[in-house]
Amino acid sequence: MTATKRPAPAGPGGRPSSDPDPIRVSFRRYAGVRTRVLEVGDPGPEPELPRRSLRRKSAAAHLRPTAPRLVLLHGYCDSADTWRPALEQLAAAGIPAIAVDLPGFGDAQPLRPGPMLPQLDAFTTAVVREQAVLGSVVLAGNSLGGTMSLRAAQNSRLPISGVVSIAAPGFVDSWLIRTVARYPLPLRLYSSLPVPVPGFLVRKVAEQLVPRLLYADSAAADATQVQRFTALFPDYRATKSRLEQARQLVAELADAYRLDSVQVPLLVVACGKDKLVTAASGRQLHTLVPHSRLLVREDWGHCPQLDDPVEIAELLTYFAASAVRTTQAKRAAATASEAVSEDTAAG
């Protein structure tokens, strides 16, 4: 009998568990918020550089063609870990990318009292400006991350070459999000219970709901990812706090977008099995931004980076390359036009 070597068990994203992890983990500060960063590809800029030096390097970077750098933003009650499987695929392809914990989630410092979106805007702006030092930035966000990517694209002063919005809320939302916004009697009763619900019961419910809400097929849910989500709801108090925060966020989404300001290439991803943000929401966003491209995948759920990280990584890679070419061509044309105008005026 000939012995055969059994392959090492696969880790997240299909990587053999015996292989070294290609993802570098660090902690940085953006807009005054200390957070965790997952990174693949070329190392990021040195945090010690003065802001003025960063601006000069960023401006110089945009005068020459550069490879795209992906900045990945997660959704509500999620963390940068949602992008780990896709980051492994991007690392294998040699694509530089980072994923960050947004303020209030993962290992980031908490949000301050008051409106949430302006705080997240300031944070996202700082991440983009840092990464723009090294190359052309393409933002990709899932759910709340999709919202933040769109809001960043509305700022013409930010050095962004393209945006991928995956299941961004605030357009045609599901019954669940509408329920949170209306704050019906069952939710009010839960929040005002005189006797807290036992923690083990809260966790049990979360373990059942999370796979159904995030994945296209709950049976295919990764246990590690599910555990990461359920850890956000360890007890009644934490769950009540997250519910109140979600209500505030849904209210802010009512006035979150100025889509006529989005001029960079935009790819809208809508997912047919999304139970939180319907595919109709993506179609509506595509209609509101005429130059955008729309991809509808009937077999993806709310977090396609968990359903199909291989295809998501390929999609981001191809779109980023196309978006950077388009944006750089527009900038070159604008520069040439300005030069012709100056020559004409001088003559």
Side-chain angles (χ1 to χ4, degrees):
M1 178 180 293
T2 303
T4 58
K5 184 177 180 180
R6 178 177 295 178
R15 172 178 56 86
S17 59
S18 59
D19 288 356
D21 191 345
I23 300 173
R24 303 186 299 278
V25 182
S26 62
F27 283 83
R28 301 180 196 168
R29 192 172 293 273
Y30 300 106
V33 178
R34 186 174 185 270
T35 191
R36 183 181 56 134
V37 178
L38 308 183
E39 186 173 18
V40 297
D42 297 334
E46 298 177 7
E48 296 82 12
L49 283 176
R51 184 173 298 178
R52 186 174 299 173
S53 299
L54 290 176
R55 282 201 297 266
R56 284 200 298 265
K57 287 194 174 187
S58 177
H62 285 279
L63 295 177
R64 62 181 185 276
T66 54
R69 300 187 66 82
L70 287 164
V71 174
L72 309 177
L73 304 179
H74 62 78
Y76 181 75
C77 277
D78 203 343
S79 74
D81 291 308
T82 193
W83 292 106
R84 272 188 176 273
L87 281 170
E88 291 180 358
Q89 299 297 321
L90 293 169
I95 306 299
I98 69 167
V100 294
D101 288 339
L102 291 174
F105 307 105
D107 289 327
Q109 290 179 317
L111 288 159
R112 300 183 301 275
M116 298 167 60
L117 291 181
Q119 297 181 59
L120 295 171
D121 286 335
F123 178 89
T124 303
T125 294
V127 176
V128 168
R129 291 196 184 283
E130 179 205 65
Q131 290 298 300
V133 172
L134 295 179
S136 300
V137 172
V138 174
L139 270 174
N142 171 233
S143 194
L144 173 59
T147 295
M148 301 321 302
S149 297
L150 288 170
R151 285 172 64 87
Q154 293 170 177
N155 184 353
S156 61
R157 294 173 296 177
L158 271 185
I160 298 173
S161 294
V163 165
V164 181
S165 175
I166 305 172
F171 300 100
V172 183
D173 293 323
S174 71
W175 66 268
L176 184 58
I177 290 181
R178 293 195 300 271
T179 297
V180 171
R182 289 196 303 266
Y183 198 42
L185 182 60
L187 293 184
R188 293 200 302 271
L189 289 175
Y190 177 84
S191 295
S192 61
L193 284 175
V195 179
V197 178
F200 78 89
L201 185 57
V202 172
R203 292 190 295 274
K204 200 68 177 177
V205 172
E207 289 171 1
Q208 295 298 316
L209 284 179
V210 165
R212 289 172 169 79
L213 293 179
L214 302 186
Y215 286 83
D217 178 8
S218 60
D222 182 272
T224 302
Q225 295 285 359
V226 172
Q227 184 179 17
R228 180 171 59 79
F229 274 94
T230 55
L232 294 168
F233 307 95
D235 52 35
Y236 167 81
R237 179 178 297 179
T239 304
K240 179 180 176 181
S241 175
R242 289 295 184 186
L243 176 59
E244 292 171 350
Q245 189 181 53
R247 287 184 56 236
Q248 177 184 338
L249 179 59
V250 170
E252 292 185 34
L253 286 173
D255 190 31
Y257 303 111
R258 302 187 317 277
L259 296 174
D260 56 336
S261 301
V262 177
Q263 301 299 320
V264 298
L266 169 63
L267 173 63
V268 180
V269 179
C271 308
K273 292 188 176 181
D274 191 338
K275 302 173 185 67
L276 290 173
V277 178
T278 67
S281 185
R283 294 188 179 96
Q284 178 72 2
L285 172 57
H286 172 56
T287 300
L288 294 171
V289 185
H291 72 268
S292 65
R293 286 182 259 174
L294 173 67
L295 172 66
V296 180
R297 283 292 300 261
E298 298 295 343
D299 57 333
W300 283 352
H302 186 62
C303 295
Q305 68 274 14
L306 299 178
D307 285 322
D308 196 347
V310 174
E311 192 149 349
I312 281 291
E314 291 180 355
L315 177 68
L316 296 178
T317 298
Y318 288 124
F319 173 79
S322 172
V324 168
R325 286 195 301 269
T326 299
T327 301
Q328 289 177 341
K330 287 183 178 179
R331 287 174 181 155
T335 301
S337 178
E338 290 175 1
V340 170
S341 299
E342 290 175 359
D343 290 344
T344 302

